[in-house]
Amino acid sequence: MAVRRVRLLLAVIAVWVLASWYYSWQPPSGGSGPRRPAQGPGGRIPPDLAGTEGIKWEKQPPQHPVDTFATLPAKKPTKPIPRIQAARPRENTAGKELRLRRLAAIEDSFKHSWNGYKKYAWGHDEIKPVTGTYKDPFGGWAATLVDSLDSLWLIGMKEDFELAVKACDDIDFSTTEARDINIFETTIRYLGGFLAAYELSEQQYPSLLSKAIEVADLVMSAFDTPNRMPVTRFPWKEYVKGQPQRARSHVLLAEIGSLGLELTKLSQLTNDMMYFDAAQRIYDGLENDQKTTVLPGMWPVIVDASKSPIKSTGDGFTLGGLSDSTYEYLGKQYLLLGGALDQPRKMYEGFIEVAKKHLLRRVLNPDNLPLLFFGDARVVNAPTGEKQVVTTPVAQHLTCFAGGMVGMAAKIFDRPADLHVAEQLTDGCAWSYNATVSGIGPEIFHFIPCDPDPAKDDCQWSEERWVGALTKYWGQGTKGEKLSDEHLQNIIETKRLPRGMVEVDDRRYILRPEAIESVFYMWRMTGNTKFMDQAWAMFEAVEKWTRSKYASAALDDVTLERPNQVDSMESFWLAETLKYFYLIFADWELANLDKWVLNTEAHPFRRADA
């Protein structure tokens, strides 16, 4: 088959790099255990030793103390933040019965996975859902247990919630087998999990705040650098030994720009400004850099955190993996502070039009639906020597959060036209599910972009455009000849390409939440029942293929009629994915978006203006 082998190689390398950087945080010696209760529900979680050295983390005297902390904004906004949620939709008796049946099915799915974790992986980070064993990729601090706390509360599983809260008392955050601690993951999963559970339960369980402070003090150790920027992959043993620290020159944007909500919330709860100060220094650095990048308004995937202030160094731009939650947190930080700080709004408005111009593309699809995706962009040197922005029409499941982000910003920042953009982004991700035979969208795929200007391109499907897009992507034959219809059909069949996709770069489904996340936001913001229908179609497909004997499992290839299960269930399955499904069919007021703001792990924090 005549294809561009170089392009294939580059795609493989790109996926490998993405997976290496973003999806995994494996300790030097990842463990797995027997298919039996590791400690038993309610049993004590034994502390680990940090390898053979037996070193424990403890807070050291600061090498770079802060003289004066930034404080939470005290001024009141001139006008209240506009409402996010629509009025409660009307519901007849039959509609309510249907909604409650679907809610019960989602609750059953949650309990199945939670009970598997409780029985076979209690006290460990994740259950391995196919074999009933466990693994510890997030420090070995019971990630699934902590990440699931607020879900247990929202679903009404109070007995299990209290069991989990008690077990959290025994988690020892002073030690881990991991060489480096991922500050981003530790913040969004552990710190976020404790804070949300503490607030949702009306502060009835003081131990949750104590554990949050324990995690936060560990996180704050990574900020003890000359410019007070964090070491995002924190070599904690070096810190304990008193070795000097310096923020890295190559840092992922998402990992440094997505700590603000959690640290700010902790300052709100404790009145200790140390945490908010750390977050605000990052925001100030990003704001200072925003207009000086090679694509002014946006930040590249890689930034230099060792500089004072932060300085962008990369030329690749995306709203997907490696960058996503930095953009997501701008509107959410504004909400958490009750609109008292205008900086997040200005930063959001500074990037969104740039992203719409250079990354946002209409999507050619067989149903001629008005769909949008954010692709990726790179700034290159044109033959004339000028800078040129090259857009790649590649969609990521991770980017599917953007529908919710754009829609929420449309509401709170008075950008009504963007609500239509948000709907088409959300519909685009729903289409990616409908397009596959399994009913589940792939991790990464290339779509067919239409010209951004509707006057130049009606974006109407035809077999000719479909064939032309395949030919353009896959290149020419070995002698430069146009690919024959037989060659193209062979590509479609062997690669199992859904109509409208020219390549499926990463065929996995790892139980990700981003598509259903945006469906949840659009449902709450519009009350349009089409989003309930989208959610149920997604859930049925996901539940059908991922449910395993012990929990729910990731899938290797959603383009197969019967995808194979992978022995992995990340904690966000219970923390995010099933929570979003549940909230769509639960009572309209549960986790009301005019009272709560959800972090990137779907942990709800009470808004300052609530």
Side-chain angles (χ1 to χ4, degrees):
M1 179 172 55
V3 297
R4 283 189 178 176
R5 293 178 174 83
V6 173
R7 178 177 282 155
L8 283 172
L9 179 60
L10 290 175
V12 171
I13 293 172
V15 171
W16 179 86
V17 170
L18 190 66
S20 299
W21 274 97
Y22 198 72
Y23 300 142
S24 59
W25 174 37
Q26 299 289 343
S29 55
S32 62
R35 191 168 55 252
R36 57 178 174 76
Q39 283 80 41
R44 182 175 179 82
I45 300 173
D48 287 336
L49 290 177
T52 57
E53 299 176 61
I55 298 175
K56 290 212 169 201
W57 173 88
E58 59 180 349
K59 194 172 182 177
Q60 303 296 309
Q63 297 185 21
H64 305 281
V66 177
D67 294 329
T68 304
F69 292 129
T71 58
L72 290 165
K75 76 176 182 70
K76 298 290 184 180
T78 56
K79 58 182 180 179
I81 298 173
R83 287 186 59 84
I84 296 174
Q85 289 207 170
R88 182 191 292 267
R90 293 182 178 180
E91 185 178 48
N92 59 28
T93 301
K96 183 177 181 179
E97 290 177 352
L98 177 62
R99 175 176 63 81
L100 292 178
R101 284 199 302 272
R102 291 175 171 181
L103 181 68
I106 295 164
E107 183 176 336
D108 176 75
S109 179
F110 181 94
K111 289 179 176 178
H112 174 68
S113 290
W114 169 254
N115 288 332
Y117 170 78
K118 188 167 67 169
K119 185 173 183 179
Y120 297 107
W122 188 256
H124 291 275
D125 287 344
E126 297 173 5
I127 184 174
K128 299 176 76 172
V130 176
T131 57
T133 55
Y134 55 77
K135 60 180 178 178
D136 291 308
F138 293 105
W141 298 319
T144 295
L145 189 151
V146 179
D147 231 1
S148 302
L149 286 169
D150 55 2
S151 297
L152 292 167
W153 182 269
L154 289 167
I155 292 173
M157 299 172 63
K158 187 175 181 182
E159 183 177 337
D160 283 79
F161 176 82
E162 293 186 336
L163 184 71
V165 169
K166 184 178 180 181
C168 288
D169 290 339
D170 297 318
I171 301 174
D172 184 1
F173 287 102
S174 71
T175 186
T176 174
E177 291 283 345
R179 183 191 64 187
D180 298 334
I181 295 172
N182 187 318
I183 294 300
F184 165 73
E185 297 287 3
T186 301
T187 299
I188 66 169
R189 300 191 195 221
Y190 292 110
L191 180 55
F194 286 129
L195 291 171
Y198 179 68
E199 285 207 296
L200 279 172
S201 61
E202 300 295 339
Q203 304 183 11
Q204 297 178 56
Y205 303 87
S207 64
L208 292 171
L209 182 59
S210 298
K211 296 306 287 188
I213 293 171
E214 187 179 327
V215 174
D217 287 344
L218 171 63
V219 167
M220 289 302 299
S221 300
F223 283 82
D224 191 13
T225 62
N227 66 347
R228 301 301 301 180
M229 291 295 109
V231 183
T232 54
R233 303 299 176 105
F234 178 47
W236 66 278
K237 294 180 187 178
E238 295 178 12
Y239 167 83
V240 171
K241 294 174 182 178
Q243 297 181 16
Q245 301 184 127
R246 185 179 180 87
R248 304 292 188 256
S249 59
H250 288 74
V251 174
L252 296 179
L253 177 62
E255 291 192 346
I256 196 169
S258 312
L259 310 175
L261 287 184
E262 298 79 8
L263 295 175
T264 298
K265 172 49 64 178
L266 188 56
S267 283
Q268 289 176 334
L269 290 171
T270 64
N271 206 34
D272 186 337
M273 295 300 116
M274 170 177 64
Y275 310 112
F276 175 71
D277 176 84
Q280 191 57 40
R281 288 173 187 270
I282 294 174
Y283 281 125
D284 289 344
L286 290 173
E287 182 184 36
N288 183 79
D289 186 49
Q290 186 172 13
K291 295 180 181 179
T292 65
T293 71
V294 294
L295 187 59
M298 295 189 69
W299 301 275
V301 169
I302 302 295
V303 298
D304 184 349
S306 69
K307 297 285 179 63
S308 296
I310 294 172
K311 184 63 181 174
S312 297
T313 58
D315 58 9
F317 297 82
T318 182
L319 293 185
L322 317 182
S323 297
D324 44 8
S325 45
T326 293
Y327 297 103
E328 173 194 353
Y329 269 26
L330 297 176
K332 291 184 174 183
Q333 183 76 350
Y334 181 85
L335 287 172
L336 185 64
L337 293 169
L341 185 64
D342 211 33
Q343 182 191 48
R345 178 189 63 81
K346 291 179 179 178
M347 292 170 71
Y348 177 87
E349 292 179 341
F351 100 79
I352 189 61
E353 291 301 323
V354 178
K356 286 164 64 177
K357 178 180 179 180
H358 294 292
L359 278 69
L360 190 65
R361 294 294 181 265
R362 295 185 297 149
V363 182
L364 187 71
N365 64 92
D367 300 316
N368 289 322
L369 298 171
L371 308 177
L372 292 171
F373 282 122
F374 279 113
D376 294 345
R378 184 168 298 278
V379 178
V380 300
N381 290 318
T384 60
E386 297 178 343
K387 296 291 185 181
Q388 179 181 351
V389 181
V390 177
T391 304
T392 302
V394 60
Q396 301 179 36
H397 198 288
L398 280 164
T399 316
C400 283
F401 84 96
M405 174 190 70
V406 173
M408 189 169 67
K411 291 268 192 169
I412 65 176
F413 297 144
D414 192 22
R415 302 171 58 90
D418 278 0
L419 194 59
H420 300 291
V421 174
E423 181 173 1
Q424 292 177 45
L425 284 166
T426 303
D427 288 346
C429 290
W431 168 80
S432 75
Y433 275 60
N434 294 333
T436 69
V437 293
S438 67
I440 302 175
E443 184 77 1
I444 304 173
F445 63 92
H446 275 72
F447 61 91
I448 306 171
C450 297
D451 192 283
D453 185 356
K456 297 179 181 179
D457 185 351
D458 60 8
C459 205
Q460 293 297 295
W461 178 269
S462 70
E463 290 299 314
E464 184 180 359
R465 290 192 70 169
W466 164 236
V467 170
L470 287 168
T471 303
K472 180 179 178 181
Y473 183 85
W474 289 103
Q476 299 174 327
T478 55
K479 297 180 180 179
E481 77 279 11
K482 180 181 177 181
L483 290 176
S484 67
D485 292 344
E486 183 181 354
H487 276 144
L488 289 174
Q489 189 60 36
N490 188 38
I491 290 172
I492 294 170
E493 293 176 358
T494 57
K495 293 190 166 291
R496 299 183 299 280
L497 295 179
R499 289 165 65 80
M501 301 182 191
V502 295
E503 171 63 307
V504 181
D505 309 80
D506 188 339
R507 297 164 181 268
R508 297 174 300 156
Y509 173 66
I510 62 172
L511 306 174
R512 284 204 185 277
E514 292 79 18
I516 192 61
E517 174 182 348
S518 285
V519 173
F520 160 72
Y521 278 103
M522 292 306 300
W523 162 237
R524 289 290 184 91
M525 289 187 291
T526 67
N528 188 336
T529 56
K530 87 168 188 179
F531 295 110
M532 294 186 82
D533 295 336
Q534 286 179 355
W536 184 246
M538 289 179 176
F539 176 77
E540 283 192 306
V542 169
E543 178 72 359
K544 177 180 180 180
W545 299 117
T546 66
R547 190 171 180 121
S548 68
K549 179 177 180 181
Y550 300 104
S552 290
L555 304 173
D556 68 339
D557 187 345
V558 297
T559 67
L560 292 170
E561 290 187 5
R562 298 183 62 85
N564 298 307
Q565 294 186 342
V566 178
D567 204 9
S568 174
M569 188 189 89
E570 284 216 41
S571 65
F572 54 61
W573 169 244
L574 296 178
E576 296 187 75
T577 311
L578 285 177
K579 182 186 293 167
Y580 285 125
F581 277 121
Y582 186 86
L583 289 174
I584 290 171
F585 294 94
D587 186 83
W588 188 252
E589 292 299 315
L590 190 63
N592 186 316
L593 295 176
D594 292 304
K595 298 178 181 178
W596 301 88
V597 57
L598 279 62
N599 86 335
T600 196
E601 197 76 2
H603 295 311
F605 301 156
R606 190 181 298 276
R607 288 169 41 173
D609 60 336

